[in-house]
Amino acid sequence: MGLKKAITSSLEDVIEKAGGCAVVDGGFATQLERHGAAINDPLWSAVCLIKQPDLIKRVHLDYLEAGADILITSSYQATIPGFLSRGLSIEQGELLLKKSVKLAVEARNSFWDALKVTPDHRYNRALVAASIGSYGAYLADGSEYSGCYGPRVDVDKLKDFHRRRLQVLVEAGPDLLAFETIPNKLEAQACVELLEEQNVQIPSWICFSSVDGENAPSGESFKECLEGISKSNKIHAVGINCTPPHLIQSLICKFKELTSKAIIVYPNSGEIWDGKAKRWLCFDDENFECFATIWRDSGAKLIGGCCRTTPSTVQAISKVLKG
């Protein structure tokens, strides 16, 4: 899969063009809500693929204007089973997955075309990363923050869950694949094996979350979690997302000891998400501009934001990283 795709701008290329540390976009659902979207839905931000696709493109443009070098698609919570539960057909669900990539590509292309009249701009042509959320994100029960999938979930079940979505997203032609908020070794293993079995040629990254700054949510050490990833040539970067900012520096240092892959971090705003109650707790207004330089100097090659971060967050990161 993906053999016919000519990768003219790899992950490594965009890092180099950005001066050694590329900027990833920020929180998607938060910005959708700012534009008036109603996302209190099991599909979360992916519900806008059905109801308000114009807002998705608008959010992508917001992040491009803020200086993002990489756009992540709105497919994090978009799954075939999830769409089926809404009464859509398999074909309709697959078209919506492809639409998530199409909207990001269209936003990127229109933004880049508009820059042609200002040749002295400081933007890079952004890459589009197709988001692949964890099994726990589909369950929408908070298990992507615990890694507790139960005894009946094994590596084959997880591969079966991810397989068709991965195939459809690859067919849509993104520049990158982003496996996000992975909570345990088992799912990381499933993702790597699936990329190998499908012979996916599109560069991928895998991001874990962490609740203690030491281990994966499952309690497994990152040494255990990264063993299979570090050996795979399908994975070009590994890191952390949706984790409080104050935990990130130590995790970057830990990952540097464990892998030679590029390290990507895009933490949340510092608030705490209660997955069962589905609400945010304990707002913590950290200074991302200050943190970004620390993370870069500690070894991160890609930096952005996750839940509750905004284009202003990404603009601050871009400003301090790119000067």
Side-chain angles (χ1 to χ4, degrees), residues 198-212:
Q198 299 291 310
N199 194 25
V200 174
Q201 299 300 304
I202 298 173
S204 302
W205 78 60
I206 292 181
C207 275
F208 296 87
S209 56
S210 179
V211 296
D212 62 3

Side-chain angles (χ1 to χ4, degrees), residues 57-228:
K57 189 181 289 188
R58 186 171 175 183
V59 171
H60 285 316
L61 289 169
D62 290 342
Y63 280 113
L64 288 167
E65 290 169 3
D69 298 308
I70 297 175
L71 294 178
I72 301 177
T73 65
S74 53
S75 51
Y76 175 79
Q77 203 111 353
T79 65
I80 304 292
F83 288 134
L84 289 175
S85 70
R86 293 294 299 269
L88 300 176
S89 67
I90 291 176
E91 182 181 8
Q92 289 172 320
E94 291 180 354
L95 287 173
L96 288 170
L97 281 170
K98 291 181 178 179
K99 189 175 189 177
S100 70
V101 176
K102 183 173 182 286
L103 290 168
V105 169
E106 287 177 350
R108 185 268 310 278
N109 290 349
S110 65
F111 182 77
W112 190 248
D113 288 344
L115 289 174
K116 290 178 180 177
V117 297
T118 55
D120 58 343
H121 68 81
R122 302 181 67 182
Y123 291 100
N124 297 310
R125 186 176 185 274
L127 300 183
V128 170
S131 173
I132 301 172
S134 65
Y135 179 62
Y138 155 68
L139 296 176
D141 61 358
S143 58
E144 75 264 45
Y145 301 108
S146 71
C148 298
Y149 289 164
R152 295 184 180 181
V153 176
D154 58 16
V155 70
D156 289 328
K157 182 177 179 66
L158 290 171
K159 286 195 287 187
D160 289 343
F161 168 75
H162 283 295
R163 184 174 289 106
R164 185 54 189 156
R165 176 170 54 163
L166 174 65
Q167 292 170 341
V168 172
L169 289 171
V170 167
E171 290 168 5
D175 303 297
L176 307 165
L177 297 171
F179 294 91
E180 303 187 279
T181 326
I182 302 301
N184 53 40
K185 178 183 177 180
L186 188 69
E187 192 159 18
Q189 178 186 343
C191 295
V192 171
E193 289 186 11
L194 201 53
L195 290 170
E196 298 284 354
E197 291 169 11
Q198 299 291 310
N199 194 25
V200 174
Q201 299 300 304
I202 298 173
S204 302
W205 78 60
I206 292 181
C207 275
F208 296 87
S209 56
S210 179
V211 296
D212 62 3
E214 292 286 336
N215 304 298
S218 60
E220 296 164 305
S221 72
F222 282 118
K223 182 179 181 180
E224 296 175 82
C225 293
L226 295 181
E227 284 175 350

